Amino acid sequence: MHFIDLKSQYTALKTDIHARMQTVLDHGQYIMGPEVAELEAALAARVGVPHCITVASGTEALLISLMALDLQPGDEVVTTPFTFAATAEVIVLLGGVPVFVDVEADTGLIDAQQIEAALTPRTRAILPVSLYGQVADMDAIQAVADRHGLPVIEDAAQSFGASLRNAHGTRLSGGLSTLGCTSFFPSKPLGCYGDGGAIFTADAALAQACREIRVHGQSARYTHTRVGVGGRMDTLQCAVVLAKLGRFDWELARRAEVGARYDAAFDAAGVERMRTRPGRTSVHGQYTVQVPARDAVQAALTAQGVPTAVHYPRPMNQQPAYARHATQPTPVADALAERVLSLPMSADLSEADQDRVIATLLKALRG
């Protein structure tokens, strides 16, 4: 059993993937080839924003977005401690200060009700993470940002394809804020075969800044208008994502089905799980439960051939590299870090394998 079944996905898409990659090999434009612009147009249309800028990774998407906002040393960015290191990493790399706000116990998402109290005159942006495949409370976050004139960057590395419905209609992850950043790391809901990512925005000036920054700050060849990075997404990786887009809607539907089967089984058994809030969909970048005595439970599943992972075992404000920024306690994030356990999840997870995961977990919990 695979934690994420990329082999079955490849088998289903093999012909399309090979054809797309062969086209790149034939034309030889490995950097900024035509597939880059094609993918950007397709993704922008899907998310419903005017601009998509492909970049080298989800981390690079966050870094370039902060650079486009001109984050300066000492500027503060309000974010969550319950995330992968990249979220805090890019802030610190630019000399900024991550301000960690605690999370919701049932979702693991940043608690929007605590954000305003964390703002100071040095706050430059708000950076929520759409964890486990579900967007954060972006309406409430945007309301706080609007009151204080702040940009919002959605870290959507795990949530491409997820939606948020409100009085104004339904919008997709990546298109909910000033800038949206996603990742095409192979294990993501929409992944390539290496590193890759994208930035989404409706702001033309920010889009232009991101485009220049990703090519070493060039507005024209050898004209370096701003400080930049080598942040381009390879043409071959864009070709892989283009091949996968044709199956993506089916995969989202299957992920929803797999998630619903897990939900029903665990709710019936009284197993605590991460919740999807009303008005939102989750693409289940991970399917995560909360369990007591996690190490013992995880060991029991491993012994039965059921792969698991922990997202995440230690909040960022407790990590050695970022502990100096731990100015406020985050008890909910601390508690979740001791209990969360992610289970196998992919569009190609069979019912038989899923039933085995469920049965094995329930047995482990019974001791």
Side-chain angles (χ1 to χ4, degrees):
M1 186 188 307
H2 301 283
F3 184 68
I4 299 168
D5 190 356
L6 294 178
K7 289 186 177 180
S8 293
Q9 183 195 57
Y10 170 66
T11 299
L13 291 168
K14 186 174 182 178
T15 300
D16 292 340
I17 289 171
H18 285 200
R20 279 284 187 175
M21 295 184 76
Q22 188 62 54
T23 298
V24 177
L25 295 172
D26 287 341
H27 68 55
Q29 299 177 54
Y30 303 118
I31 302 297
M32 300 302 289
E35 286 78 8
V36 175
E38 183 183 355
L39 179 61
E40 289 176 345
L43 295 177
R46 185 179 189 97
V47 171
V49 296
H51 306 285
C52 171
I53 304 94
T54 54
V55 292
S57 67
T59 305
E60 208 77 7
L62 293 170
L63 180 69
I64 291 171
S65 293
L66 288 171
M67 292 174 72
L69 292 173
D70 197 28
L71 190 78
Q72 294 295 309
D75 287 349
E76 295 176 355
V77 179
V78 173
T79 192
T80 169
F82 198 57
T83 182
F84 182 62
T87 311
E89 179 178 73
V90 292
I91 299 168
V92 176
L93 278 171
L94 295 174
V97 179
V99 176
F100 296 112
V101 169
D102 209 0
V103 299
E104 301 167 339
D106 62 334
T107 67
L109 298 163
I110 191 169
D111 187 343
Q113 304 308 311
Q114 297 189 42
I115 290 177
E116 198 150 25
L119 303 181
T120 76
R122 303 189 75 169
T123 305
R124 182 66 183 88
I126 303 172
L127 204 170
V129 175
S130 294
L131 193 70
Y132 300 142
Q134 173 187 198
V135 300
D137 190 352
M138 298 300 289
D139 287 341
I141 293 168
Q142 192 61 56
V144 173
D146 289 344
R147 284 196 294 272
H148 295 270
L150 295 170
V152 177
I153 303 172
E154 180 195 6
D155 182 340
Q158 301 177 18
S159 60
F160 187 79
S163 65
L164 171 67
R165 186 181 69 252
N166 59 23
H168 304 291
T170 299
R171 295 181 297 156
L172 295 179
S173 180
L176 300 168
S177 54
T178 315
L179 293 149
C181 300
T182 200
S183 168
F184 302 126
F185 188 79
S187 63
K188 303 301 183 185
L190 180 63
C192 57
Y193 288 158
D195 276 315
I199 302 166
F200 300 92
T201 186
D203 187 309
L206 285 177
Q208 183 61 27
C210 290
R211 290 189 187 100
E212 292 178 7
I213 292 167
R214 75 171 169 182
V215 288
H216 301 283
Q218 295 177 96
S219 56
R221 189 160 177 79
Y222 297 126
T223 301
H224 300 272
T225 310
R226 61 184 83 234
V227 175
V229 296
R232 299 161 299 203
M233 184 170 172
D234 295 342
T235 309
L236 278 167
Q237 299 301 344
C238 289
V240 171
V241 178
L242 282 165
K244 289 190 175 188
L245 271 178
R247 194 182 191 241
F248 189 55
D249 285 332
W250 177 85
E251 292 197 8
L252 290 179
R254 278 290 298 138
R255 283 176 171 271
E257 291 171 7
V258 173
R261 288 190 85 242
Y262 272 142
D263 289 350
F266 295 141
D267 288 350
V271 176
E272 196 170 359
R273 60 179 175 83
M274 308 312 290
R275 301 279 171 172
T276 301
R277 292 289 182 91
R280 306 181 210 171
T281 63
S282 176
V283 296
H284 298 297
Q286 286 87 31
Y287 188 93
T288 303
V289 295
Q290 296 186 48
V291 298
R294 182 182 60 211
D295 289 349
V297 171
Q298 189 173 29
L301 268 66
T302 300
Q304 296 301 314
V306 175
T308 59
V310 177
H311 304 104
Y312 296 94
R314 185 188 290 187
M316 283 300 101
N317 52 342
Q318 292 187 19
Q319 295 284 355
Y322 305 103
R324 68 184 185 277
H325 302 297
T327 57
Q328 298 294 329
T330 56
V332 177
D334 296 348
L336 285 175
E338 296 179 356
R339 293 174 55 86
V340 290
L341 184 67
S342 297
L343 305 175
M345 164 57 75
S346 63
D348 295 291
L349 182 66
S350 69
E351 287 193 3
D353 279 347
Q354 186 176 20
D355 288 341
R356 182 178 153 208
V357 174
I358 293 166
T360 306
L361 177 62
L362 295 182
K363 182 179 179 181
L365 289 173
R366 288 193 296 266

